[in-house]
Amino acid sequence: MKIAVLGGDGYCGWATALHLSRQGHSVAIVDNFLRRQWDRDLGVETLTPIRTLADRIEAWKRHTGNPIEVFEGDVTDYGFLSSMFREFQPEALVHFAEQRSAPYSMIDRQHAIFTQSNNVLGTLNVLFAIKELQPECHLVKLGTMGEYGTPNIDIEEGYITIEHNGRKDVLPYPKQAGSFYHLSKVHDSHNMLFACRVWGLRATDLNQGVVYGTVTGETALDDALINRFDYDEVFGTVLNRFCVQAAVGFPLTVYGKGGQTRGYLDIRDTVRCVELACLNPAAKGECRVFNQFTEQFSVLELAHMVQAAGRKLSLKVDIQHLPDPRVEAEQHYYNARHSKLADLGLQPHLLSESLLDSLMNIAVRYRERIDESLFLPRVNWREPVNRRQPAKEEMVLTGGVLEP
Ligand code: NAD
Ligand code: USQ
């Protein structure tokens, strides 16, 4: 298949582009490198030393003989996006190209507005480009489990059957997102559902849980192919952060009580899920939803698992409970269905089997690059400030949280 990977220079996108290329698909990466710019703006770096996209693609071609095309540009620029469609003519389009950090979207008004305009307008452009230029193209769009929030009932895969006043209907599952970022995904989902209904497009909304790990079969081929591993408080996800903290003996930063429960998956399962979605496209007019995660854990369960893995490496790992900088339930019911990808053949990697090899060992290997000043949370949900983040030197530690 001809598959365009929007956001293919990012964490999930890079691993996915290589996996699809290795499976024999013809792959194009579309990216404007904004993510690398955000790192520079925030003064942070991925734990792993990633190469430029040009170097990565050259190394991939050297190892496999497979070329990957690159279209450098902004998905919110319709002229650019439509010229990519005309030239590459994708049969499937995997859309990762969004601002994906909840804390980033909660820094201040500008970051909230940027997040929603970048994400919602980009996806709208994608929908219009498919309708106008490639109506059979299957959109595989990354959503998030965070769209559902933490309701006190079971979470279904996208839709729920509701009986009300004696009548019954299948309706989109209620959304209760926890940040302006997560809300941007809710808005995308509504726009996709509408476009499929009125224009007969075909789309799969992959409501992905929190991804962990960095190594996949493809990125392991060469150091030049190494993927990102973010651990800073804005872009680092919780398990990656805990492993890096454990590697330098920094107490694991559990926010609040630590009962926050989410769905998680290994990056090796992310790439396989996307492939399965591409190989089994949605029907014309269908906007289907897959809950893309393999296991669910509370933050405290993860901390205890990292503590136990640390012991095996002779690392002394302590746990600290910080005041939760987010507004979220710290203890709650959570039971989310996730059977559709398994039905298509997904065979999950389990965290208990990969924590040491795929995470802790990477954190230890790159220990020298760890910047401990990136561990404590500074972005606070209750008090987004109407200006840019102050520099690190301007922050003081108050009650375990760095504040201006
Ligand atoms: P990432 O930030 O590493 O990658 C996103 C890529 O998209 C970057 O390379 C960035 O430069 C590019 N991009 C952003 N806006 C763009 C634009 N307007 N035009 C062109 N390129 C643009 O993020 P990621 O972790 O790889 O996440 C990818 C997708 O998966 C996101 O949509 C995210 O919401 C979703 N997701 C990620 C996770 C996770 O744990 N990482 C979990 C669930 C869902
Ligand atoms: N948390 C801690 N300590 C930390 C960091 C996080 O306790 O040091 C807690 C958070 O408060 C939250 C949970 O861990 O309760 C998950 O936080 P996270 O930063 O790992 O993940 P999140 O903000 O939810 O976002 C990530 C990705 C996002 C994706 C989402 C999937 O950045 O792109 O959409 O995971 S989901 O969580 O299912 O919505």
Side-chain angles (χ1 to χ4, degrees):
M1 287 173 83
K2 296 188 78 171
I3 307 180
V5 180
L6 311 191
D9 187 47
Y11 172 51
C12 301
W14 175 239
T16 303
L18 294 191
H19 180 72
L20 294 172
S21 169
R22 201 181 205 183
Q23 300 307 310
H25 301 291
S26 167
V27 173
I29 284 180
V30 180
D31 209 297
N32 61 355
F33 308 120
L34 257 182
R35 179 71 178 77
R36 292 176 187 251
Q37 184 56 43
W38 298 329
D39 277 356
R40 287 191 284 273
D41 293 346
L42 294 165
V44 305
E45 257 188 296
T46 133
L47 175 70
T48 44
I50 58 170
R51 307 285 173 89
T52 63
L53 183 60
D55 285 355
R56 289 171 144 190
I57 302 246
E58 195 192 299
W60 180 246
K61 190 154 183 221
R62 203 167 55 238
H63 275 279
T64 62
N66 296 350
I68 292 180
E69 272 187 72
V70 176
F71 293 85
E72 182 182 340
D74 189 331
V75 175
T76 66
D77 172 352
Y78 193 67
F80 160 75
L81 188 69
S82 46
S83 65
M84 185 282 290
F85 262 82
R86 284 197 191 88
E87 200 177 322
F88 186 67
Q89 302 187 349
E91 293 161 88
L93 183 138
V94 185
H95 182 16
F96 291 107
E98 298 202 328
Q99 190 301 99
R100 68 101 174 132
S101 157
Y104 188 93
S105 75
M106 298 301 292
I107 291 176
D108 60 12
R109 188 178 65 84
Q110 286 94 327
H111 288 77
I113 288 179
F114 170 76
T115 299
Q116 293 213 350
S117 56
N118 185 59
N119 296 2
V120 178
L121 302 186
T123 297
L124 261 180
N125 271 349
V126 166
L127 293 169
F128 271 90
I130 293 178
K131 176 193 168 358
E132 286 171 7
L133 303 165
Q134 198 86 13
E136 290 304 313
C137 177
H138 174 210
L139 170 60
V140 177
K141 159 73 170 53
L142 271 292
T144 175
M145 284 301 293
E147 290 184 37
Y148 303 118
T150 53
N152 201 25
I153 57 170
D154 292 348
I155 294 172
E156 302 299 320
E157 288 196 80
Y159 299 89
I160 183 168
T161 305
I162 294 184
E163 236 182 293
H164 181 62
N165 292 346
R167 299 185 65 81
K168 209 173 175 179
D169 204 351
V170 179
L171 298 169
Y173 195 94
K175 310 286 168 73
Q176 303 186 81
S179 71
F180 288 119
Y181 151 70
H182 287 98
L183 278 160
S184 73
K185 298 286 190 181
V186 174
H187 307 327
D188 284 344
S189 295
H190 289 149
N191 288 341
M192 286 163 64
L193 186 59
F194 178 76
C196 289
R197 181 153 50 85
V198 299
W199 297 332
L201 305 193
R202 50 180 93 232
T204 303
D205 204 350
L206 294 175
N207 280 349
Q208 184 168 237
V210 190
V211 185
Y212 59 81
T214 185
V215 182
T216 59
E218 291 79 27
T219 60
L221 285 176
D222 191 314
D223 272 355
L225 299 172
I226 200 163
N227 203 351
R228 338 179 41 99
F229 191 111
D230 300 303
Y231 68 93
D232 62 283
E233 61 116 4
V234 173
F235 278 97
T237 46
V238 62
L239 187 55
N240 287 3
R241 279 167 59 72
F242 283 177
C243 292
V244 171
Q245 291 166 353
V248 288
F250 193 94
L252 310 186
T253 54
V254 170
Y255 296 166
K257 295 193 179 82
Q260 302 93 312
T261 304
R262 305 283 185 268
Y264 289 82
L265 75 164
D266 190 304
I267 182 101
R268 291 172 293 184
D269 292 334
T270 293
V271 305
R272 178 73 179 130
C273 290
V274 172
E275 183 193 4
L276 285 169
C278 291
L279 293 177
N280 301 278
K284 225 173 151 36
E286 183 187 18
C287 184
R288 63 183 183 180
V289 180
F290 295 165
N291 289 347
Q292 180 168 314
F293 71 96
T294 57
E295 298 176 277
Q296 61 178 59
F297 299 103
S298 73
V299 167
L300 207 50
E301 281 170 331
L302 292 178
H304 287 136
M305 286 174 84
V306 170
Q307 202 168 36
R311 247 178 257 126
K312 290 191 187 144
L313 298 176
S314 306
L315 297 169
K316 184 176 169 322
V317 183
D318 292 326
I319 293 174
Q320 59 179 328
H321 287 264
L322 300 175
D324 195 337
R326 305 186 184 195
V327 177
E328 59 186 352
E330 292 175 19
Q331 260 168 350
H332 56 88
Y333 176 79
Y334 198 79
N335 185 33
R337 194 182 290 278
H338 56 112
S339 56
K340 292 189 182 171
L341 283 157
D343 292 347
L344 290 178
L346 177 68
Q347 306 219 318
H349 292 84
L350 299 181
L351 179 59
S352 54
E353 287 161 18
S354 53
L355 183 54
L356 269 182
D357 287 347
S358 132
L359 279 143
M360 293 291 283
N361 286 340
I362 292 284
V364 171
R365 175 171 167 203
Y366 292 101
R367 193 163 22 199
E368 299 307 311
R369 288 173 55 87
I370 296 172
D371 176 354
E372 292 190 29
S373 74
L374 305 180
F375 287 152
L376 289 175
R378 290 177 287 153
V379 181
N380 193 311
W381 262 228
R382 292 164 187 86
E383 287 172 32
V385 282
N386 196 14
R387 59 184 166 77
R388 293 183 70 79
Q389 272 289 94
K392 256 179 258 156
E393 314 76 76
E394 299 166 316
M395 313 284 283
V396 287
L397 189 62
T398 331
V401 178
L402 274 173
E403 288 178 353

